[in-house]
């Protein structure tokens, strides 16, 4: 790659409570970076963060000249801790129909990146758990932190995997490995992600964003119309949509189960949950 130091001078466009936005000039365009920023709960996903995220994606999609790439990363030395605990607790107090509706809406906030014409790069600069890891998997390309901890921990919380993970994990890793990670909720690190071909590369966490930005500027030399058509043709949109419908229904049932209430109780009591299948 070339020397990009002269181009990597970001400007701050922040106007949100739970996001920070930066624009970095690239050849004949820009790179837009979206940083998740919820310092009180390790960048956990709140409803408000989701609304802001979709607002920013909509803003980007309406630009006269689309960014050459969009980078998703995190502040506070972490990528994303997954769904906010208070938000998850609120689902346990709703009906099945309400949860099914709200889960589809919540997914759509963050998975709006799949509809963005510009390539999206995930800079997973620290731990990414549950729905937070799903967001990373929904990106077109990914950079991981060597020391980061990554897990689809849904089943360990008493709920079906969500945010598209039941589709995205097998899509990217193959059915055997993807299913293993979903069924067990086991943790992997950046070295694993690199070995599995999931990462463009994995580096120390304080280098992840810079490496992703350097790559984005390099990729910006490609013809934008060709890249946009490529992204459109790479994905099986209908298959993901079917998975989201099934996930929303399954999570809606799980949120009103005794097992999920046990998860919430165990968090307060700082112990491991005991699931009875009720």
């Amino acid at each position: 790659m070339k020397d990009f130091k002269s181009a990597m001078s970001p400007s701050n466009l922040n106007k949100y409570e739970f996001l920070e936005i930066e624009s970095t000039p690239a050849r004949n365009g820009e790179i837009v970076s979206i940083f998740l920023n919820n310092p009180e709960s390790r960048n956990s996903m709140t409803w408000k963060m989701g609304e802001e995220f979709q607002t920013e994606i909509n803003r980007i999609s309406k630009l006269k000249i689309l960014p050459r790439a969009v980078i998703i990363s995190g502040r506070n030395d972490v990528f994303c801790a997954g769904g906010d605990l208070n938000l998850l607790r609120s689902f346990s107090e709703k009906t099945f129909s309400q949860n099914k509706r709200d889960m589809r809406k919540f997914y759509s906030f963050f998975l709006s990146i799949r509809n963005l014409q510009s390539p999206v790069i995930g800079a997973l600069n620290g731990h990414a758990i549950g729905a937070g890891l799903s967001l990373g998997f929904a990106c077109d390309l990914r950079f991981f932190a060597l020391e980061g901890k990554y897990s689809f921990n849904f089943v360990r919380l008493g709920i079906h995997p969500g945010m598209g993970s039941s589709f995205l994990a097998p899509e990217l890793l193959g059915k055997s490995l993807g299913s293993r990670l979903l069924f067990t909720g086991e943790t992997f690190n950046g070295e694993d992600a690199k070995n599995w071909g999931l990462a463009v590369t994995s580096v120390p966490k304080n280098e992840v964003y810079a490496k992703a930005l350097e790559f984005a500027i390099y990729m910006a030399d490609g013809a934008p119309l060709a890249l946009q058509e490529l992204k459109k043709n790479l994905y099986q949109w209908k298959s993901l949509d079917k998975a989201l419908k099934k996930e929303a229904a399954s999570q809606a049932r799980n949120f009103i189960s005794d097992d999920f209430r046990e998860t919430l109780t165990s968090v307060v009591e700082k112990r491991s949950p005991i699931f009875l299948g009720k």
Side-chain angles (χ1 to χ4, degrees):
M1 295 185 190
K2 305 171 186 177
D3 183 3
F4 301 105
K5 291 182 180 179
S6 60
M8 295 170 67
S9 301
S11 59
N12 192 290
L13 304 175
N14 190 48
K15 58 180 180 179
Y16 301 111
E17 181 180 356
F18 293 110
L19 303 177
E20 290 187 4
I21 313 300
E22 289 184 356
S23 173
T24 304
R27 191 169 289 108
N28 300 317
E30 65 171 341
I31 309 299
V32 173
S33 298
I34 302 174
F35 297 91
L36 308 181
N37 186 29
N38 187 359
E40 294 184 359
S41 58
R42 297 179 297 169
N43 298 342
S44 66
M45 295 163 147
T46 65
W47 194 271
K48 179 67 179 297
M49 178 191 281
E51 291 178 328
E52 292 183 348
F53 193 93
Q54 187 169 57
T55 295
E56 177 59 20
I57 295 301
N58 290 342
R59 182 194 73 83
I60 292 171
S61 67
K62 294 175 183 177
L63 292 173
K64 186 174 182 180
I65 300 177
L66 293 174
R68 293 306 181 97
V70 174
I71 299 175
I72 311 296
S73 194
R75 297 297 194 202
N76 314 305
D77 209 31
V78 66
F79 183 70
C80 180
D84 180 75
L85 181 60
N86 290 327
L87 178 65
L88 298 181
R89 184 178 288 113
S90 73
F91 293 143
S92 70
E93 301 168 355
K94 296 180 181 180
T95 66
F96 168 80
S97 297
Q98 289 171 326
N99 280 332
K100 184 177 179 181
R101 176 200 64 205
D102 289 349
M103 291 316 301
R104 283 302 306 271
K105 184 67 175 176
F106 190 62
Y107 301 157
S108 70
F109 291 152
F110 295 96
L111 295 179
S112 56
I113 60 172
R114 298 280 282 202
N115 299 316
L116 198 58
Q117 293 185 63
S118 302
V120 179
I121 298 173
L124 283 72
N125 57 311
H127 303 338
I129 307 298
L133 182 57
S134 302
L135 175 60
F137 271 51
C139 296
D140 302 308
L141 298 163
R142 287 150 297 278
F143 290 75
F144 283 78
L146 286 169
E147 63 272 52
K149 294 181 179 180
Y150 307 99
S151 172
F152 292 115
N153 69 331
F154 297 99
V155 296
R156 295 184 177 272
L157 299 178
I159 54 177
H160 186 283
M163 196 62 73
S165 57
S166 65
F167 174 82
L168 295 167
E171 178 189 51
L172 292 176
L173 295 171
K175 189 166 186 179
S176 179
L177 179 55
S179 296
R180 184 182 109 193
L181 296 180
L182 293 169
F183 274 116
T184 64
E186 69 181 82
T187 299
F188 64 93
N189 59 31
E191 187 67 29
D192 295 322
K194 183 178 179 180
N195 292 339
W196 294 338
L198 184 60
V200 175
T201 192
S202 295
V203 295
K205 62 183 179 181
N206 61 341
E207 300 176 17
V208 171
Y209 174 71
K211 185 65 69 173
L213 180 58
E214 179 181 304
F215 185 85
I217 293 173
Y218 168 72
M219 190 169 62
D221 281 344
L225 292 180
L227 289 172
Q228 291 165 21
E229 288 293 322
L230 172 61
K231 176 167 181 175
K232 182 174 66 175
N233 292 329
L234 276 176
Y235 298 115
Q236 302 176 43
W237 304 99
K238 292 182 179 180
S239 296
L240 175 58
D241 189 62
K242 288 180 180 178
L244 292 173
K245 289 178 181 178
K246 293 177 180 178
E247 287 183 354
S250 295
Q251 286 198 325
R253 280 189 289 271
N254 295 153
F255 280 131
I256 57 177
S257 69
D258 288 343
D259 277 350
F260 184 64
R261 293 188 185 94
E262 163 65 7
T263 293
L264 297 176
T265 301
S266 69
V267 170
V268 174
E269 297 177 355
K270 297 183 179 180
R271 60 173 175 78
S272 297
I274 301 173
F275 297 128
L276 300 178
K278 297 180 180 180

